[in-house]
Amino acid sequence: MLSFTAQVGYHLRHRAAEDSTLLKPGARLGSYEIDSPIGAGGMGEVYKATDTNLKRSVAIKVLPAAVADDIERLARFQREAEVLAALNHPNIAAIYRLERSEGTTALVMELVEGEDLSAVIARGPVPLVDALPMARQIADALDSAHEQAIVHRDLKPANIKVRPDGAVKVLDFGLAKAIDPAGGSSVDAMKSPTVTARATEMGIIVGTAAYMSPEQARGKAVDKRADIWAFGCVLYEMLSGRRAFGGESVSDTLSAVLRDPPDWGALPPSTPMGIRHLIERCLERDPKLRLRDIGDARLELAVPSAGPDDPSHPRTPQRGRRIGRAGWIALAALAGAIAVAAWPRSVQPAADVARLTLAQTSGASLVIGDATPDLSISRDGRRIIYASRRLDPEGARVSATQLLSRRVDAFEPVALPNLGQNPHAPFFSHDGAWVVFQTSVGDQLAPVLAKAPIAGGSLTALCPLARLDDLRGASWDDEGHIVFATARRWAGLFQVSANGGTPVVLTTPDRSRGELLHVWPDVLPGGAGTLFTIMREDGNLAIAVLPRGATTWRVLVPDGSMPRYLADGHLVYIVRGVLYGTGFDLRTLTVTTPPVALVDGILTKDTGAADYSVAANGTLAYVAAEHRDALSRVVWLHRDGTTDALPLEPKPYRAAHVSPDGHRIALSILDHGVSGLWVFDTTNDGFTRVTPREESVDDFAWSPDGRRLVFWSNAQKGLFTIAADGGDRSEKLAGTDSGRFYPTAWSPDGRTIAYIQEYPTLSLFGVSTAPPHAVRPLASGVGAQVEATFSPNGKWITHIDFEGGTPEIVVGPAGDATRSWPIAPSGRHPTWTADGRGVQYLDGPSISRIAINPDSGMPVGRPVKVVDLPRTSRNRSIEMSTDGRFLILERVDEAAGPSEIRVVLNWIQTVRTKLAGEAEK
């Protein structure tokens, strides 16, 4: 390849001898007739020509000799040109074809009339009112190309055309890479000057170097962030009328690029702070700190702040930061004028806001999930569907979940039948005729996304889900698609046909930005885009929008969750139990007004999931944050049916397990959404917290010597062991990025811990407690396997198997995953007797026991009932102490969840009034 100096000399010589090197007017290249020269540079000589076949004007770029004479480079250029020809964007000059004729190779391109941006800037700084629309079009062009993994590599004013009508066209997309022999980021190729008829040769040389990113100048590999740097240079130059980095020579310019800051004082004083901040982020020398996506720039350019003291974009309200009253009055007046002009003549008076409460029938309560709301309102605001459970007359036993449908004007709800096992997380179809939800159907517990008609009918499975509580929100668009989210770490949004099929990935969280999940989507009208929530690894939440057809998204609100769009142009979302509203432009997908608090006290979990739903007409349904977790007490159940309460105050206990010696009890206690692990010593009534306050623990098991506990860490995504007295640091045994593990038992010899792996299917595994902590399967079959326990002699292991369609306790050799046999159909929570000669289990409302031969592991005889459980029992496990007592949790109140839904009819009037009031301040 020619060196940089040789290329400069080549073009200067050929410009000096123009009459002998340039194609003459009238010359032919295939079907193209040359009209006149336009210019020349490192990318080739450019002519205006006529396509004699289609009778249109085109631009012909004759490739440099260094390319045309190299067969290998020419073949690669052909491939690159084919890729570039796939670009189709109104702000990108199109490539029509690669023409070869009589030894000359040329690109045929769209002819863009008008002057290039360098000529516009030469007349002085571009006014802000003109510069921002131009910059937005440039950013749109870059964003479109970057989505197809095409990088310009030589963006500068000379490669940007401004048509007389104000439209902007970016030229020479990707040609720097196409001409570079390595296809990468050769410094020589990048320094190739672009020669025009207006500029001096030296000025053009310096000008090209002035837009290189630092990594380009050092000859390193580049990506789309090099274009973002160049975009910042161009925007700076448009506003200031001078280059961000300049010098008398190429060396001086490159030195400024690598070391000197731009003269920020050269920007006009009226430049909004948001625009200044945008340029600063584009011109970060460290690519890791630079603006990552040009799409993020489009938000600021679309709705820039009005002045240098304004915030760069609307955020959660902060004291003392508010757009001036005059500005918002003007904006409100303009919006009002537009609304009056567009509103039908027969406008009716606004309906009054009405508030009502939909109470549950006696003994029923709403289901409150930690991750996804179990409440949805139809688009027309007439019907609400929600998940409910029922308590028996004594207020203790909780039924399975069912979905209830209730018209807002009806006295009673209607249960939807035949929806599988424990359906939850419902939402309406676009037309309100269907309900979509997560459930378990068929002969396994494997969950599915399913739909069923509201009017009644059979269930239709749409696609499988990975775990029993996998769904993290969904939205049915008006084109027959469902966008949904799951609980898998680093999983984004998926789209599936409303008729079922294979889901398509729409987004993947950006781990470099700390993104963990994309959840709670809301598809905008007309498919303009999808709103969703970004859950970050640090626990923070943000609201983003994915434009239609795009693969990149941008943040709209830096602190919030569960966005919902209202039909009249408002966006509502949750911030720590408060529902906020703001203006939203559906055309530009941008926030247009400051946020205003609308409703306080909506039930919101630590995950950011809130139990609220808004209809398209603005009717609001929500659950108030007055719910408290049900309290229980820890009791011993004797075989005669009597109970003795332990000296512990009632708390929201989640699970309890007895130590092997029977003297200590490990407890999971819910406290502000976090389940801490505690140990109670019955010999001295001591109560010790084992895990840190921020650690949430739901599943755990004792070691055989009673000295340690194994638990699943929600925070660290792994199985850990820790001293039962909390006296040492935890030790990690195994982990996963998808789903979670449920530890169920520790083998008697202390060498193996049994756990349930949640993803991709519920399966039983064992992990060695000795390094390197090898993992092996403990059960065979394709059905879900849960609740494993070891026999006291360590030879056998029991677990629940769902392979036959119903839960069944099976037993098999602990060291052989290929064999097992059933011992108790429909049983749950198996535990071995202390002598190893029986298995006791939950059998409906009772505890039953079946004898087991400790040598063969085979059942002996028939099951017998041991004791009836109190009707107030709410056990997740049934364990027997060494003295034959059973440890259970007993509910002390009837509150299994909230019992009413609050509905605000015509709530949109409240939104309009409050936003208008904020605008007038």
Side-chain angles (χ1 to χ4, degrees):
M1 177 179 177
L2 294 175
S3 68
F4 172 54
T5 304
Q7 289 193 49
V8 173
Y10 173 88
H11 291 291
L12 293 183
R13 288 195 303 272
H14 282 62
R15 288 294 295 163
E18 183 176 290
D19 59 339
S20 62
T21 59
L22 294 180
L23 296 174
K24 303 296 185 180
R28 297 289 292 263
L29 283 177
S31 61
Y32 303 97
E33 182 176 324
I34 301 299
D35 295 331
S36 61
I38 296 177
M43 298 303 175
E45 300 166 345
V46 187
Y47 304 86
K48 180 180 179 181
T50 300
D51 183 343
T52 58
N53 289 332
L54 299 178
K55 307 303 181 184
R56 64 178 177 178
S57 295
V58 297
I60 299 286
K61 177 164 287 191
V62 179
L63 300 183
V67 175
D69 295 341
D70 188 323
I71 296 178
E72 182 178 349
R73 292 180 64 189
L74 189 60
R76 197 184 59 77
F77 187 90
Q78 167 80 35
R79 295 191 297 270
E80 293 293 339
E82 291 172 356
V83 174
L84 299 174
L87 285 176
N88 182 17
H89 192 274
N91 298 120
I92 297 176
I95 292 178
Y96 295 146
R97 62 175 294 165
L98 188 63
E99 178 72 20
R100 295 187 179 91
S101 179
E102 298 179 357
T104 300
T105 303
L107 276 175
V108 182
M109 304 179 297
E110 175 186 1
L111 178 66
V112 183
E113 301 292 352
E115 57 186 354
D116 62 51
L117 186 57
S118 63
V120 176
I121 296 174
R123 295 193 290 270
V126 181
L128 189 70
V129 67
D130 297 324
L132 295 189
M134 291 181 189
R136 186 164 61 249
Q137 294 179 70
I138 298 169
D140 285 341
L142 291 174
D143 191 33
S144 177
H146 291 175
E147 286 182 358
Q148 300 188 46
I150 297 174
V151 182
H152 194 293
R153 290 177 167 81
D154 195 23
L155 183 70
K156 54 193 173 186
N159 278 337
I160 301 169
K161 281 272 194 170
V162 182
R163 295 193 324 194
D165 63 358
V168 170
K169 292 276 188 176
V170 180
L171 314 179
D172 285 354
F173 245 109
L175 293 186
K177 178 183 179 183
I179 288 181
D180 180 6
S185 57
S186 165
V187 177
D188 288 343
M190 296 315 303
K191 292 179 182 176
S192 301
T194 297
V195 181
T196 69
R198 289 176 297 276
T200 65
E201 285 102 357
M202 181 59 71
I204 287 300
I205 294 172
V206 174
T208 299
Y211 307 98
M212 289 184 189
S213 65
E215 58 268 29
Q216 281 177 283
R218 292 188 172 98
K220 296 182 178 180
V222 300
D223 56 22
K224 63 182 181 180
R225 291 172 293 183
D227 284 353
I228 293 174
W229 171 279
F231 174 80
C233 293
V234 171
L235 181 54
Y236 176 95
E237 189 170 339
M238 291 169 65
L239 296 176
S240 66
R242 56 189 290 183
R243 292 188 181 123
F245 306 99
E248 296 182 357
S249 66
V250 173
S251 299
D252 293 338
T253 301
L254 293 179
S255 177
V257 167
L258 295 173
R259 297 179 180 84
D260 299 338
D263 181 6
W264 298 112
L267 292 172
S270 60
T271 304
M273 285 299 297
I275 300 299
R276 291 173 181 264
H277 180 60
L278 171 63
I279 299 173
E280 291 172 358
R281 290 198 62 196
C282 290
L283 298 182
E284 283 280 358
R285 286 188 167 85
D286 185 348
K288 296 179 181 178
L289 302 178
R290 195 176 304 157
L291 186 73
R292 190 171 185 84
D293 292 302
I294 195 66
D296 294 339
R298 295 165 59 197
L299 175 62
E300 186 57 55
L301 293 167
V303 188
S305 359
D309 297 326
D310 290 332
S312 60
H313 54 273
R315 301 177 184 271
T316 302
Q318 298 181 12
R319 297 183 183 273
R321 299 189 68 182
R322 183 174 290 151
I323 294 179
R325 172 175 176 171
W328 285 114
I329 290 177
L331 181 61
L334 176 61
I338 295 173
V340 169
W343 200 257
R345 297 288 183 182
S346 58
V347 174
Q348 300 296 323
D352 292 335
V353 177
R355 293 172 172 82
L356 60 147
T357 297
L358 302 182
Q360 297 299 291
T361 56
S362 177
S365 67
L366 300 172
V367 173
I368 300 299
D370 291 334
T372 297
D374 285 287
L375 166 72
S376 180
I377 189 169
S378 60
R379 287 177 59 85
D380 60 12
R382 296 180 179 179
R383 187 182 296 273
I384 296 174
I385 192 165
Y386 56 93
S388 175
R389 291 193 182 103
R390 178 172 293 278
L391 304 177
D392 67 10
E394 294 186 23
R397 199 171 312 285
V398 181
S399 68
T401 300
Q402 62 177 344
L403 296 185
L404 301 180
S405 172
R406 181 167 181 173
R407 290 182 58 90
V408 174
D409 58 357
F411 286 108
E412 297 291 340
V414 176
L416 299 180
N418 305 319
L419 300 186
Q421 303 178 45
N422 291 322
H424 65 282
F427 65 96
F428 278 98
S429 63
H430 184 267
D431 59 5
W434 295 82
V435 59
V436 182
F437 50 95
Q438 175 173 319
T439 189
S440 298
V441 296
D443 58 357
Q444 298 184 19
L445 274 185
V448 295
L449 185 67
K451 70 175 183 178
I454 291 291
S458 60
L459 172 152
T460 301
L462 302 178
C463 65
L465 297 172
R467 49 184 275 185
L468 294 177
D469 189 24
D470 196 34
L471 192 62
R472 292 297 184 270
S475 179
W476 188 318
D477 67 19
D478 52 8
E479 296 179 351
H481 301 100
I482 296 171
V483 176
F484 67 96
T486 72
R488 282 160 281 176
R489 288 168 64 87
W490 300 301
L493 304 181
F494 298 85
Q495 179 178 280
V496 67
S497 169
N499 295 320
T502 302
V504 176
V505 176
L506 294 182
T507 66
T508 301
D510 188 342
R511 297 180 65 176
S512 66
R513 296 184 178 183
E515 295 181 2
L516 180 65
L517 290 170
H518 292 166
V519 293
W520 307 314
D522 183 41
V523 180
L524 295 168
T530 301
L531 301 169
F532 64 95
T533 302
I534 298 174
M535 296 183 68
R536 305 188 189 278
E537 291 182 312
D538 59 7
N540 292 322
L541 304 170
I543 293 172
V545 63
L546 175 72
R548 179 172 187 161
T551 57
T552 58
W553 51 93
R554 63 174 181 268
V555 172
L556 295 177
V557 180
D559 182 18
S561 65
M562 295 200 64
R564 295 293 181 263
Y565 176 77
L566 306 185
D568 69 337
H570 292 98
L571 172 69
V572 295
Y573 57 91
I574 289 288
V575 180
R576 288 173 287 278
V578 179
L579 188 61
Y580 282 87
T582 182
F584 186 77
D585 190 325
L586 191 61
R587 181 181 59 84
T588 61
L589 303 182
T590 54
V591 172
T592 58
T593 66
V596 175
L598 301 173
V599 180
D600 195 359
I602 291 180
L603 182 60
T604 304
K605 275 71 71 173
D606 289 348
T607 60
D611 284 274
Y612 89 98
S613 184
V614 185
N617 68 354
T619 297
L620 171 69
Y622 70 96
V623 178
E626 299 171 354
H627 164 67
R628 64 174 176 82
D629 295 292
L631 303 180
S632 300
R633 59 179 180 173
V634 185
V635 302
W636 288 115
L637 172 64
H638 301 279
R639 291 177 178 268
D640 61 4
T642 61
T643 59
D644 291 326
L646 276 73
L648 292 170
E649 63 177 299
K651 289 182 179 292
Y653 298 109
R654 300 285 293 266
H657 296 302
V658 186
S659 64
D661 61 9
H663 297 314
R664 287 169 297 162
I665 299 169
L667 297 156
S668 173
I669 307 175
L670 190 64
D671 181 16
H672 294 89
V674 178
S675 298
L677 184 57
W678 298 73
V679 170
F680 174 70
D681 192 331
T682 61
T683 61
N684 57 17
D685 292 345
F687 206 39
T688 304
R689 186 176 189 122
V690 177
T691 54
R693 183 169 299 277
E694 65 276 6
E695 189 72 76
S696 185
V697 176
D698 290 329
D699 300 276
F700 51 93
W702 285 94
S703 65
D705 60 7
R707 299 174 60 184
R708 301 185 69 80
L709 288 157
V710 59
F711 65 94
W712 166 261
S713 168
N714 290 319
Q716 302 179 67
K717 302 299 178 183
L719 283 180
F720 289 80
T721 65
I722 193 170
D725 60 4
D728 68 354
R729 299 182 63 181
S730 57
E731 177 188 4
K732 186 173 184 179
L733 302 181
T736 178
D737 291 335
S738 301
R740 58 181 294 176
F741 296 161
Y742 300 86
T744 63
W746 205 314
S747 65
D749 59 10
R751 297 178 180 179
T752 303
I753 293 173
Y755 68 90
I756 308 302
Q757 179 173 294
E758 181 180 56
Y759 179 81
T761 60
L762 287 170
S763 302
L764 179 58
F765 287 88
V767 59
S768 173
T769 56
H773 305 304
V775 172
R776 61 185 175 91
L778 293 182
S780 61
V782 296
Q785 300 128 3
V786 298
E787 299 178 6
T789 58
F790 290 97
S791 64
N793 62 11
K795 294 177 61 176
W796 315 107
I797 187 169
T798 61
H799 66 277
I800 308 296
D801 189 275
F802 291 87
E803 189 169 359
T806 58
E808 185 172 45
I809 299 176
V810 299
V811 64
D816 184 355
T818 64
R819 293 190 296 144
S820 64
W821 45 87
I823 60 174
S826 302
R828 298 299 302 268
H829 306 312
T831 182
W832 288 82
T833 59
D835 60 7
R837 295 183 177 275
V839 171
Q840 298 177 130
Y841 56 93
L842 185 62
D843 185 11
S846 306
I847 296 176
S848 294
R849 176 183 182 275
I850 187 169
I852 300 291
N853 186 321
D855 296 322
S856 67
M858 297 293 291
V860 178
R862 299 176 62 85
V864 295
K865 184 171 70 172
V866 178
V867 64
D868 288 325
L869 287 170
R871 298 185 64 82
T872 52
S873 172
R874 56 178 305 269
N875 286 45
R876 295 185 62 195
S877 61
I878 302 293
E879 287 200 18
M880 187 176 68
S881 178
T882 53
D883 58 8
R885 295 178 297 174
F886 296 95
L887 183 73
I888 65 172
L889 300 178
E890 189 176 45
R891 192 185 304 275
V892 297
D893 61 2
E894 297 184 1
S899 59
E900 64 181 34
I901 299 172
R902 297 183 180 182
V903 179
V904 186
L905 302 177
N906 305 311
W907 178 66
I908 191 65
Q909 301 299 336
T910 299
V911 178
R912 293 169 180 160
T913 300
K914 288 194 174 183
L915 287 175
E918 180 68 18
E920 293 177 0
K921 292 181 180 179

